Amino acid sequence: MTIQAIAASSGVQPGNTATGTAASAPAQSMDSNMFMSLLVTQLKNQDPSSPMDTNQMMSQTVQLSMMEKMTELTADAKESFSLQMRSAAAQIIGHNVSYTLPDGTKGSGVASSVSFAAGTPTVAVGGVNVPLDSISGMTAATSPTPAASPTA
């Protein structure tokens, strides 16, 4: 099945707006509803003397199924990565960390809490909220040494 591009009627080239600056690219996604709509339209408008090849239709259906599964895998991978980030952030609490913020500010201190409110967990280090991906090192927190007990 060949799909022809629609030409712009205003004389403006694709990718440019009327002022000549680049416009955002249109979404190029295709979901199962759109696919089924196109397939039904294709079947309605086919030439009865040369019907659509069933092998081609099956191939397109398999491609759609594969695309949907890949989309599901991508969503699952993102969810898994998010869970790993949250787990890593929680394990940092109580440890000495060093960090470099995006503006170049460097610092270190003990991680006291974690916030999951934003997309990337933020760790409170000495009163500064540091994104998890800005933390560059971690060491065990120094604990006071216990007093030696006398032996009898």
Side-chain angles (χ1 to χ4, degrees):
M1 168 173 91
T2 304
I3 299 174
Q4 299 295 326
I6 299 174
S9 60
S10 65
V12 176
Q13 295 296 321
N16 292 329
T17 62
T19 61
T21 59
S24 61
Q28 297 292 323
S29 64
M30 182 178 200
D31 62 358
S32 59
N33 291 334
M34 179 184 248
F35 175 80
M36 292 306 288
S37 175
L38 285 171
L39 182 62
V40 168
T41 303
Q42 184 178 8
L43 290 172
K44 282 181 184 178
N45 297 318
Q46 71 180 341
D47 181 8
S49 64
S50 65
M52 181 178 175
D53 182 17
T54 55
N55 291 334
Q56 183 182 14
M57 186 169 48
M58 289 303 294
S59 172
Q60 290 174 357
T61 305
V62 167
Q63 287 175 353
L64 172 68
S65 177
M66 288 174 56
M67 180 203 57
E68 287 178 338
K69 293 299 179 189
M70 291 298 290
T71 302
E72 288 176 21
L73 283 173
T74 301
D76 289 346
K78 285 180 181 180
E79 186 176 323
S80 176
F81 181 68
S82 176
L83 182 60
Q84 287 176 350
M85 283 180 54
R86 288 173 182 254
S87 177
Q91 291 177 0
I92 289 176
I93 296 174
H95 289 81
N96 290 318
V97 296
S98 56
Y99 60 88
T100 304
L101 296 176
D103 65 0
T105 306
K106 293 184 178 194
S108 63
V110 176
S112 58
S113 66
V114 177
S115 172
F116 302 115
T120 301
T122 55
V123 180
V125 180
V128 177
N129 288 329
V130 180
L132 181 63
D133 53 0
S134 295
I135 294 177
S136 56
M138 179 177 78
T139 58
T142 56
S143 60
T145 57
S149 58
T151 57

